[in-house]
Amino acid sequence: MASGHLVSMKDVARHAGVSVGTVSNVLNRPEIVSPDRRERVEAAIAELGYVRNDAARQLKLGRSSTVGAIVLDSGNPFYGQLVGGIEAAAEDSQLMVIAGSTGSRERRERLYLSLFEEQRVRGILLASTGGSADLVEAIRGRGTPVVLVESERDARGSSVSVDDIAGGELAVQHLVAQGRRRIGVVAARQDLRQVADRLHGARRAAKAAGLEIEVLEAEDLTVLAGRTVGEEVVARSAAERPDAVFCVNDLLAVGVLQAFAFRHQVAVPEEIALVGYDDIDFARSTVVPLTSVSQPADLMGRTALALLEEEIASPDAAPRHVSFTPKLVQRESTTG
């Protein structure tokens, strides 16, 4: 074949001396083809370097073997673990996953949703900013199932979530049990349901203990933003600082810990106890291992894919919601 020529089924058929239909049967139903013809076709495929056009095949069949996964932040290891769970479950089901990260931006989320629908994916798994509910419903109405991840119960489709209110409560209850009374909560993007719920839970636990939390606003949910907030805390006098800090994700907590431990030698937990959220792998290997609220990212991903497959198999079945309970993993940042 000439350089740059895409080998077609016709080329394979011509080379093997069989019909195009025989080539198609070898690719899709090899058991009905005689061994001699099957061997000739397979040899031609290998010699010519034929690669099947799976997109065209799927378009003809009217269904795809691909699912789309949309997450808020690919830079957060939690979402890497979540997608890893989706991919592991998809491999077992002989499905392929294409993942995209929105950076917690609604415009980008809507773009991914539209692109995945245009690509005729078999279904979509969405960790949403919360701003594209209308588009999600439109896509569902046109026949593509969407399962929400990290979402509250969804009346029109299946969803998977963690009880983030309970998670925020766990963090502050633990700090109170350690004797801490001046508790700061580092938060950003309170428009995101996950963050709002964690903050709500923290406030509820503080109120039950007769305390009020101080919200320490960060610019984003990143290590750098956490370090900036940590610097601001350290700049206060010792009497004005909180004696405990709960961060609404581990990336913020790592940044706060950097400001405390590396640059200013604020003792953790002796002077300020620190709790994160997500329990990413890195949390256990920081300079002071980080106490964190753990949510089962891998299991959430596997469960979301299973719910999506249920909707694909039974489009008229009632949607299901699966909620996981977070747990506190204690390490030296609060109990050292």
Side-chain angles (χ1 to χ4, degrees):
M1 288 293 157
S3 175
H5 174 76
L6 290 176
V7 179
S8 68
M9 286 178 62
K10 288 183 179 179
D11 296 325
V12 174
R14 188 179 304 113
H15 196 78
V18 299
S19 69
V20 172
T22 298
V23 176
S24 177
N25 285 335
V26 169
L27 292 171
N28 298 298
R29 296 186 296 166
E31 69 280 358
I32 70 170
V33 183
S34 68
D36 175 65
R37 288 191 174 189
R38 188 165 65 242
E39 288 175 9
R40 283 157 52 195
V41 170
E42 290 171 347
I45 287 171
E47 185 175 339
L48 297 178
Y50 170 75
V51 178
R52 72 190 299 168
N53 187 341
D54 202 47
R57 181 178 68 89
Q58 291 172 6
L59 186 61
K60 183 177 180 180
L61 292 173
R63 61 184 178 85
S64 169
S65 60
T66 301
V67 297
I70 305 172
V71 300
L72 292 174
D73 180 12
S74 60
N76 186 335
F78 167 78
Y79 289 108
Q81 295 169 9
L82 179 75
V83 172
I86 294 170
E87 289 175 330
E91 183 178 357
D92 293 340
S93 299
Q94 297 185 318
L95 295 170
M96 182 177 68
V97 179
I98 300 177
S101 173
T102 65
S104 300
R105 298 198 297 273
E106 179 189 335
R107 180 178 178 183
R108 195 166 180 180
E109 178 178 308
R110 297 178 76 92
L111 175 62
Y112 271 121
L113 284 166
S114 297
L115 286 174
F116 283 154
E117 185 184 23
E118 289 171 8
Q119 293 298 314
R120 299 294 192 271
V121 296
R122 200 159 190 176
I124 299 172
L125 302 168
L126 171 64
S128 180
T129 62
S132 58
D134 60 328
L135 180 56
V136 168
E137 289 313 305
I139 290 172
R140 284 171 169 164
R142 291 190 288 265
T144 300
V146 181
V147 169
L148 300 184
V149 184
E150 280 200 302
S151 176
E152 299 171 318
R153 186 179 299 275
D154 179 11
R156 299 190 179 182
S158 295
S159 58
V160 177
S161 71
V162 167
D163 188 344
D164 284 308
I165 294 176
E169 284 186 297
L170 278 175
V172 171
Q173 286 169 350
H174 173 65
L175 292 171
V176 171
Q178 300 298 312
R180 309 293 171 154
R181 308 296 294 175
R182 303 190 310 277
I183 299 173
V185 179
V186 182
R189 291 301 308 271
Q190 293 185 42
D191 57 306
L192 296 176
R193 182 207 59 81
Q194 301 93 313
V195 173
D197 281 359
R198 293 167 196 179
L199 191 55
H200 178 66
R203 286 193 171 107
R204 194 156 75 179
K207 183 178 180 180
L211 305 174
E212 288 189 10
I213 63 168
E214 177 189 4
V215 178
L216 305 169
E217 287 283 352
E219 291 187 359
D220 207 345
L221 296 165
T222 63
V223 173
L224 181 59
R227 190 160 64 233
T228 299
V229 173
E231 297 276 1
E232 293 169 357
V233 170
V234 170
R236 301 180 184 182
S237 68
E240 294 175 326
R241 296 172 188 164
D243 61 8
V245 170
F246 164 48
C247 298
V248 297
N249 76 4
D250 282 345
L251 297 183
L252 286 169
V254 169
V256 169
L257 184 60
Q258 288 177 354
F260 288 177
F262 293 149
R263 302 192 61 179
H264 299 282
Q265 299 302 308
V266 172
V268 175
E270 290 82 4
E271 295 179 67
I272 302 179
L274 183 62
V275 177
Y277 202 109
D278 288 335
D279 195 32
I280 60 176
D281 289 341
F282 189 57
R284 71 196 68 177
S285 58
T286 51
V287 61
V288 180
L290 184 65
T291 293
S292 185
V293 178
S294 175
Q295 48 181 340
D298 180 87
L299 181 57
M300 290 171 66
R302 291 174 182 270
T303 302
L305 196 280
L307 293 176
L308 184 64
E309 290 190 282
E310 287 179 11
E311 291 207 3
I312 291 169
S314 304
D316 296 326
R320 290 207 299 133
H321 177 74
V322 179
S323 179
F324 293 96
T325 301
K327 65 178 182 179
L328 186 84
V329 179
Q330 296 184 33
R331 299 191 181 95
E332 286 87 338
S333 70
T334 58
T335 60

